[in-house]
Amino acid sequence: MVLSHTDFYDTHLVTSALQTNEYSNINNCSSSVSKFILLGFSYTWEIQIFLFSVFSGTYILTLTGNLCIICAVMWDHQLQTPMYILLANFSFLEIWFITSTVPNMLANFLSETNTISVSGCFLQFYFFFSLGTTETFFLSAMAFDRYLAICRPLHYPTVMTVQRCIRTGAGCWVCGFLYFLLPIYLISQLPFCCPNTIDHFLCDPGPLIKLACVPAPATEIICAIYNSVLIFTTLVFIISSYTLVIRAVLKVPSTEGRHKAFSTCGSHLAVVSLFYGSIMVVYVSPTAGNPAGIQKYVTLSYSVLTPLFNPLIYSLRNKEMKVALRKLFRMVRLSHRHGRNL
């Protein structure tokens, strides 16, 4: 088949128009990205419904468990000591930590679009990382509290007063929400191009940086430095505190005293191991070095499972907390009966 000059000219115009339209779409997309698509866990509809049920139950159990700890500390005067005040703050933190991700993830299980606005994405990013940073500071404060109580028992009542404990908790919250402002600002200034798909169930810095139209090695390195400094400084502080605690506990002549101290410290160390073991896999190395699939599932372990296990670890391994929770449940049952009788 032989094309005439006119046919060739028309074909050239059509091809040029298609190419122009394609480039125009790309440019329009790259300059007007107003939302991201969170892939989350892409499975069949039946599995999506199953996961929705599992994570809904996990979310409800987490809220219930942590609220029980907060109520027990508030209503039992024997638990209104620095150790339990920090624990109540920590439980309150865990409620918000899991709330920053799970409700949106549950909505995406039932949604066909799985979209999140750019502003909503960075808002989730900010709160999720600020709350996670606050958790590292609280774990450090709780480790220091145990160090003072066991290694400096005579000075403990004067050093760790209730007022100082409240100020320490407030400092953890403030520092946690200030620490990641620079990395979040730098990432938010990057230009984002199509495709605007994030292979994650939340707005994480690694996938976000990969969506940028231009390479951002400096931003990536700054994020890695911030993560590493935060994780290693707090982890070294926590390990050092508990090392001194264990040395002091081993010198205690009473078997019952050693068992009680080890029980309390064991609870804290279990939480520390679960939390730090997960975040080090994802955030210590530069974000480009972590496959998206590994990031997704490891993030799931510390953002969803850790807040669920914390109330179980602290309540089941702590005699005073178990007694306070029994009193709390007894009060709830009595008030419920009294309400029905009325």
Side-chain angles (χ1 to χ4, degrees):
M1 179 178 178
V2 180
L3 292 174
S4 65
H5 178 74
T6 305
D7 292 337
F8 180 82
Y9 181 72
D10 291 340
T11 303
H12 178 71
L13 286 178
V14 170
T15 304
S16 300
L18 289 173
Q19 290 177 344
T20 302
N21 186 45
E22 180 182 354
Y23 290 130
S24 176
N25 288 337
I26 292 174
N27 290 331
N28 290 336
C29 180
S30 64
S31 61
S32 61
V33 169
S34 60
K35 58 187 177 182
F36 296 110
I37 300 172
L38 294 172
L39 290 183
F41 303 95
S42 303
Y43 297 111
T44 61
W45 176 249
E46 291 78 11
I47 297 178
Q48 296 273 92
I49 295 298
F50 173 73
L51 291 175
F52 175 84
S53 304
V54 170
F55 287 115
S56 296
T58 301
Y59 183 58
I60 293 170
L61 288 173
T62 302
L63 296 185
T64 305
N66 284 289
L67 280 173
C68 285
I69 289 178
I70 294 171
C71 293
V73 174
M74 288 178 61
W75 291 344
D76 194 326
H77 294 289
Q78 293 182 345
L79 295 186
Q80 291 179 3
T81 61
M83 171 183 167
Y84 291 106
I85 290 172
L86 288 173
L87 178 57
N89 269 273
F90 190 69
S91 295
F92 181 72
L93 167 66
E94 292 292 61
I95 289 172
W96 287 107
F97 188 49
I98 193 171
T99 301
S100 67
T101 58
V102 171
N104 184 68
M105 182 172 64
L106 293 176
N108 287 340
F109 279 132
L110 304 180
S111 173
E112 294 181 359
T113 56
N114 297 352
T115 59
I116 183 171
S117 65
V118 171
S119 57
C121 182
F122 279 99
L123 193 64
Q124 183 193 58
F125 178 18
Y126 173 67
F127 276 99
F128 178 71
F129 274 84
S130 295
L131 290 166
T133 303
T134 306
E135 183 160 344
T136 64
F137 291 142
F138 264 108
L139 289 171
S140 301
M142 293 164 76
F144 183 65
D145 175 75
R146 290 301 84 206
Y147 162 76
L148 288 176
I150 295 173
C151 299
R152 299 286 185 271
L154 298 178
H155 298 90
Y156 182 75
T158 55
V159 174
M160 187 58 78
T161 60
V162 173
Q163 291 77 14
R164 190 164 293 170
C165 174
I166 293 172
R167 287 198 295 269
T168 301
C172 291
W173 282 99
V174 172
C175 294
F177 276 80
L178 290 178
Y179 185 80
F180 263 98
L181 284 177
L182 178 60
I184 290 171
Y185 172 76
L186 292 176
I187 296 175
S188 67
Q189 298 306 302
L190 295 175
F192 294 102
C193 299
C194 283
N196 56 343
T197 303
I198 299 176
D199 188 11
H200 216 302
F201 63 89
L202 57 83
C203 291
D204 197 68
L208 279 173
I209 291 174
K210 290 177 183 177
L211 291 182
C213 300
V214 294
T219 301
E220 190 172 348
I221 291 171
I222 289 173
C223 289
I225 291 172
Y226 264 69
N227 291 328
S228 300
V229 169
L230 174 70
I231 292 170
F232 283 113
T233 52
T234 54
L235 183 60
V236 168
F237 180 83
I238 292 169
I239 291 175
S240 301
S241 299
Y242 282 116
T243 300
L244 295 173
V245 166
I246 291 171
R247 286 177 57 187
V249 168
L250 291 175
K251 296 177 182 178
V252 174
S254 169
T255 305
E256 183 180 352
R258 284 200 304 269
H259 177 73
K260 183 178 179 180
F262 273 126
S263 178
T264 303
C265 296
S267 302
H268 294 193
L269 286 172
V271 174
V272 169
S273 301
L274 185 64
F275 182 74
Y276 276 90
S278 301
I279 63 175
M280 286 180 70
V281 172
V282 179
Y283 298 115
V284 171
S285 60
T287 53
N290 297 316
I294 294 177
Q295 276 193 344
K296 195 178 346 185
Y297 290 102
V298 175
T299 304
L300 185 69
S301 69
Y302 77 83
S303 64
V304 178
L305 298 182
T306 304
L308 172 65
F309 291 150
N310 283 349
L312 297 175
I313 290 171
Y314 281 113
S315 60
L316 293 179
R317 294 180 60 88
N318 190 294
K319 184 178 178 181
E320 290 84 0
M321 182 58 67
K322 284 191 283 188
V323 171
L325 288 174
R326 289 194 196 100
K327 290 180 183 178
L328 176 65
F329 295 146
R330 198 177 301 121
M331 289 173 55
V332 172
R333 282 199 302 268
L334 289 174
S335 62
H336 182 64
R337 279 184 202 167
H338 183 67
R340 284 196 305 179
N341 291 334
L342 292 177

